Amino acid sequence: MSQLNRRHFLGAGLLLGASTLIGKELPAKPLIVPTEYIPPIIAFPEKRPMVAISDRPPLLKSVKGREIFTQPITPNDEFFVRWHMPDIPTFIDLNTFRLEVKGAVSTPLSLSIDDLKSKFEPTEITAVLQCGGNSRMYYKEVGPATHGVQWDHGAMGCAVWKGVRLKDILEHAGAKESAKWVGLNGLEKPAMEETPDFFREMSITEAMEDQILVAYSMNGEDLPYLNGFPLRLVIPGHFADSWVKMLSEITVLESYQKSFFMDIAYTVPDNDCECLVSGSDFEYKRKPIATMKVKSVIGYPSDNTQIKKGSKVKITGVAFDQGKGIKEVQISVDGGHSWSKSILGKENGKYAYRMWNFDWEAKTKGEFSIMARAINRIGNIQPQVDEIGWNAGGYQYNAVDVVNIKIV
Ligand SMILES: Nc1nc2c(c(=O)[nH]1)N[C@H]1C(S)=C(S)[C@@H](COP(=O)(O)O)O[C@H]1N2
Ligand SMILES: [Mo]
């Protein structure tokens, strides 16, 4: 068994269980009792030290805050990480790893990574991966506390994904006429029998779309372990919850299979605003979140930056949508009273980050609210924060982004 064909997630068993043994923690401030929990900064394998919102399951975001949104491609070693189950396999042997394709197909398949690389046409796409709960913490400006990890903008990134079209795999297996759904499952298992498995489904029509990949590479390298080595689904334009990592099973289904992660988690009220008008979201018919909404995030400056009067400030950031493409990003430096067009960077494919920048001269001292709002090619525009519909899960936040800075 060659060394190359094995990937040992070094010390992962230990690491996932007891971060303090390997990780670094922020030094505690003497004599000050923190009023807010400050998550530790931990170096997981293949990752530079990252903010560990949780270490079991791993929930990691870059230590750079907004600065990570000043570049078109997010490096693998600081790409965010989100898992639901604590029991992620710590060792994957490519000699035995197989992607199983089964269910309503004429030829069930059992594919090694080599099979995928040699028997199918490789395809590459640059696409944003964003958790449905990204930016959730900003819903606190809008309504009651939302459920789930209180992410700032840190649960997103953009990468070049390379792999095989899901469609090609399904055609190879020969999905039957009766096929209606495709079920997707990864290698990790729930910690307890009662815990629901992380199982995702998509309609066969969606699964046959050209842009959906079973990816084995990210930014020119093997997928990092925590981002789904050796295979993950890539669904450009779609929220991350169906981008199943460590993908090991594709099951073609004749009918929809109920599951916690499709029917309860990652759902929004099934009404026009996809929001809650009053009452509990349990009283609403729900639907899974699906395509992303137009969004821009400011990379520079970040909150509380102090800038010298007279400086030239290059306000910059990223924008993306569900794949229609960004038409314009507008900037306001006066708290949303007036807006000017920013300059867009080159288009890196319609599912990628579109960089933008805006030159501003800080002429007067004082506090400024800098805002960014993106508009896509079909006229979708980011809502003002008081226009965004609240939902109990805190999903799909895309209100106009704001940073408050000081000119001194
Ligand atoms: N197997 C598996 N795949 C998964 C998940 C998971 O828990 N298990 N979480 C999903 C969710 S909700 C998110 S946000 C993304 C996170 O991808 P990343 O860790 O590569 O950033 O993975 C998705 N794919
Ligand atoms: Mo997510």
Side-chain angles (χ1 to χ4, degrees):
M1 203 177 301
S2 95
Q3 212 36 41
L4 274 178
N5 262 2
R6 285 169 151 226
R7 177 164 303 206
H8 201 162
F9 192 34
L10 244 186
L14 257 186
L15 182 66
L16 297 181
S19 62
T20 42
L21 290 179
I22 293 179
K24 285 184 194 160
E25 288 187 13
L26 279 183
K29 285 186 192 148
L31 304 177
I32 298 175
V33 180
T35 49
E36 242 178 276
Y37 170 70
I38 300 170
I41 293 173
I42 302 178
F44 276 77
E46 301 175 301
K47 296 281 172 184
R48 56 180 96 176
M50 292 181 77
V51 178
I53 299 163
S54 153
D55 62 328
R56 201 169 185 271
L59 298 183
L60 313 178
K61 63 173 185 180
S62 165
V63 293
K64 288 186 181 162
R66 288 181 178 274
E67 202 196 313
I68 190 99
F69 308 119
T70 56
Q71 53 196 344
I73 298 294
T74 316
N76 289 359
D77 64 358
E78 53 183 343
F79 206 98
F80 86 98
V81 170
R82 201 272 184 261
W83 286 90
H84 290 79
M85 311 293 162
D87 282 337
I88 307 166
T90 53
F91 181 84
I92 291 173
D93 179 355
L94 291 194
N95 287 311
T96 53
F97 174 87
R98 295 291 180 272
L99 172 65
E100 304 288 343
V101 187
K102 53 189 194 176
V105 293
S106 44
T107 323
L109 306 173
S110 182
L111 302 164
S112 69
I113 299 295
D114 275 349
D115 292 336
L116 285 167
K117 289 184 175 168
S118 60
K119 295 186 180 150
F120 295 85
E121 187 194 346
T123 314
E124 213 172 71
I125 196 162
T126 306
V128 175
L129 170 62
Q130 182 189 209
C131 176
N134 190 35
S135 321
R136 179 182 278 131
M137 65 178 280
Y138 305 105
Y139 269 116
K140 66 175 188 258
E141 323 262 326
V142 186
T146 48
H147 309 308
V149 183
Q150 294 300 303
W151 292 106
D152 54 16
H153 297 309
M156 66 177 201
C158 181
V160 184
W161 311 95
K162 185 177 173 186
V164 170
R165 284 185 207 92
L166 175 60
K167 178 182 156 208
D168 292 352
I169 298 176
L170 292 172
E171 278 173 357
H172 204 72
K176 291 186 178 160
E177 286 274 307
S178 56
K180 294 264 164 29
W181 292 89
V182 176
L184 304 147
N185 213 339
L187 277 181
E188 88 277 25
K189 294 276 171 272
M192 288 174 290
E193 240 168 71
E194 311 85 68
T195 322
D197 191 13
F198 191 80
F199 176 73
R200 301 290 304 174
E201 276 160 284
M202 62 170 75
S203 73
I204 186 86
T205 326
E206 187 184 354
M208 296 301 281
E209 287 175 14
D210 266 347
Q211 76 281 8
I212 302 182
L213 301 187
V214 172
Y216 43 71
S217 141
M218 178 176 177
N219 294 330
E221 293 167 1
D222 285 351
L223 288 162
Y225 199 90
L226 290 171
N227 298 106
F229 181 87
L231 287 179
R232 88 174 299 164
L233 206 66
V234 166
I235 315 170
H238 196 291
F239 281 113
D241 36 310
S242 289
W243 294 45
V244 174
K245 299 192 279 188
M246 289 188 184
L247 179 68
S248 59
E249 255 178 37
I250 299 177
T251 313
V252 178
L253 301 163
E254 292 178 331
S255 59
Y256 180 78
Q257 188 179 316
K258 278 190 184 309
S259 75
F260 176 79
F261 284 102
M262 288 301 297
D263 304 316
I264 310 289
Y266 295 104
T267 59
V268 283
D270 187 4
N271 55 28
D272 285 346
C273 69
E274 298 178 349
C275 69
L276 201 54
V277 181
S278 65
S280 146
D281 63 338
F282 287 98
E283 295 158 19
Y284 283 84
K285 189 169 172 279
R286 293 145 169 257
K287 62 175 176 191
I289 57 169
T291 48
M292 297 197 288
K293 294 177 186 279
V294 66
K295 185 162 178 169
S296 61
V297 170
I298 299 169
Y300 181 84
S302 54
D303 270 302
N304 304 319
T305 303
Q306 297 209 354
I307 295 169
K308 272 236 156 65
K309 188 186 141 191
S311 308
K312 292 198 163 62
V313 185
K314 199 176 269 301
I315 303 169
T316 181
V318 298
F320 60 94
D321 73 339
Q322 69 274 45
K324 301 295 177 187
I326 295 299
K327 187 173 141 222
E328 198 172 304
V329 177
Q330 302 175 341
I331 306 303
S332 173
V333 291
D334 58 8
H337 294 292
S338 61
W339 295 87
S340 317
K341 271 192 198 182
S342 68
I343 296 169
L344 295 183
K346 91 169 191 342
E347 189 164 28
N348 220 349
K350 56 186 185 169
Y351 297 104
Y353 278 161
R354 188 85 190 256
M355 302 300 301
W356 52 264
N357 68 77
F358 181 77
D359 289 320
W360 178 53
E361 198 178 335
K363 286 188 187 138
T364 45
K365 287 187 181 179
E367 286 176 11
F368 290 83
S369 259
I370 296 180
M371 300 183 169
R373 74 175 177 205
I375 304 165
N376 71 1
R377 293 205 175 106
I378 55 164
N380 299 147
I381 181 166
Q382 286 182 259
Q384 292 292 335
V385 70
D386 56 2
E387 293 165 355
I388 194 173
W390 182 91
N391 66 81
Y395 295 121
Q396 328 192 104
Y397 185 91
N398 76 327
V400 167
D401 195 23
V402 189
V403 296
N404 295 303
I405 63 155
K406 223 174 184 176
I407 306 300
V408 293

